[in-house]
Amino acid sequence: TGIGSSSSSSSSSGSVADGYVEGAFVFFDVDGDQEYDAGVEEFAYTDENGFYQIDNTPTDSYTIIAQGGIDIDSGEVIDVLYAPSDASMVTPLTTLSHFDPNFAIDGYENIDILNYDPIATLDANASSEEAATILSLGQQVMAVLGSVAEMNSTITGGDYETAFTNAAESLVDGSYGVTFDQVVNMGDAN
């Protein structure tokens, strides 16, 4: 199967995190079908710190997809997360950025969410309110996307990953009637 993409001999690395995610299957989706194509797309598994390294980085556009793995902080299974090709982090917030390249967090527009690691920042400076907020927002987004996907796939009998993708797309475009800002405000209601 030819996909019209070429790869270089360089490698790319990054981290998968909601808390760091161990054992996630990470691949560079070069043909946009959101499915791993054996023999065509390179892959790696994340280590105990959510780190991955993939050789033969594609030179054309691609999406980073992380499937499965365990959040080492919560013990929760992570089904799927996405990130654009220029990201070094794969998180719930990069998932929203994948579906809306203009996605930004009000008050935190200076944060490059594609490359910001709030966990490493908190490890270095436990009092960083900025890192704590970004991490919390990502976890809130993951909880909402997971709940909506579970409900949708149960009601429709569809698969969870498609329901998760639809929920992420709907959260950034507001088509479910709930926006990212409303999710953030739900978290502040406590």
Side-chain angles (χ1 to χ4, degrees):
T1 305
I3 56 173
S5 177
S6 58
S7 63
S8 70
S9 60
S10 68
S11 65
S12 294
S13 61
S15 295
V16 179
D18 183 31
Y20 288 129
V21 178
E22 180 178 9
F25 178 79
V26 181
F27 67 97
F28 295 156
D29 182 25
V30 296
D31 61 2
D33 66 354
Q34 298 182 358
E35 301 206 5
Y36 172 69
D37 298 312
V40 177
E41 296 169 334
E42 300 290 330
F43 71 92
Y45 287 93
T46 56
D47 67 13
E48 67 277 0
N49 296 311
F51 179 81
Y52 68 88
Q53 182 169 332
I54 299 177
D55 295 328
N56 300 319
T57 304
T59 55
D60 293 339
S61 180
Y62 59 91
T63 299
I64 306 166
I65 299 179
Q67 298 174 326
I70 304 292
D71 178 329
I72 63 169
D73 292 333
S74 70
E76 296 288 321
V77 174
I78 303 298
D79 289 293
V80 63
L81 293 170
Y82 302 91
S85 58
D86 57 342
S88 64
M89 296 296 297
V90 184
T91 70
L93 297 176
T94 65
T95 297
L96 296 182
S97 182
H98 165 69
F99 292 107
D100 178 2
N102 297 315
F103 173 76
I105 302 168
D106 288 342
Y108 296 93
E109 295 86 357
N110 63 319
I111 299 288
D112 177 8
I113 62 169
L114 301 181
N115 299 295
Y116 183 72
D117 185 343
I119 300 167
T121 302
L122 286 169
D123 285 347
N125 177 8
S127 63
S128 173
E129 286 185 37
E130 181 177 83
T133 299
I134 298 298
L135 182 61
S136 176
L137 290 174
Q139 291 168 338
Q140 289 174 44
V141 165
M142 192 68 184
V144 168
L145 294 178
S147 295
V148 170
E150 184 67 34
M151 180 180 63
N152 185 293
S153 62
T154 300
I155 291 171
T156 65
D159 72 277
Y160 180 91
E161 192 169 322
T162 299
F164 185 92
T165 299
N166 291 341
E169 290 173 331
S170 297
L171 187 60
V172 295
D173 72 15
S175 64
Y176 272 162
V178 177
T179 64
F180 173 77
D181 290 334
Q182 290 168 318
V183 169
V184 170
N185 291 334
M186 281 186 253
D188 291 341
N190 296 336

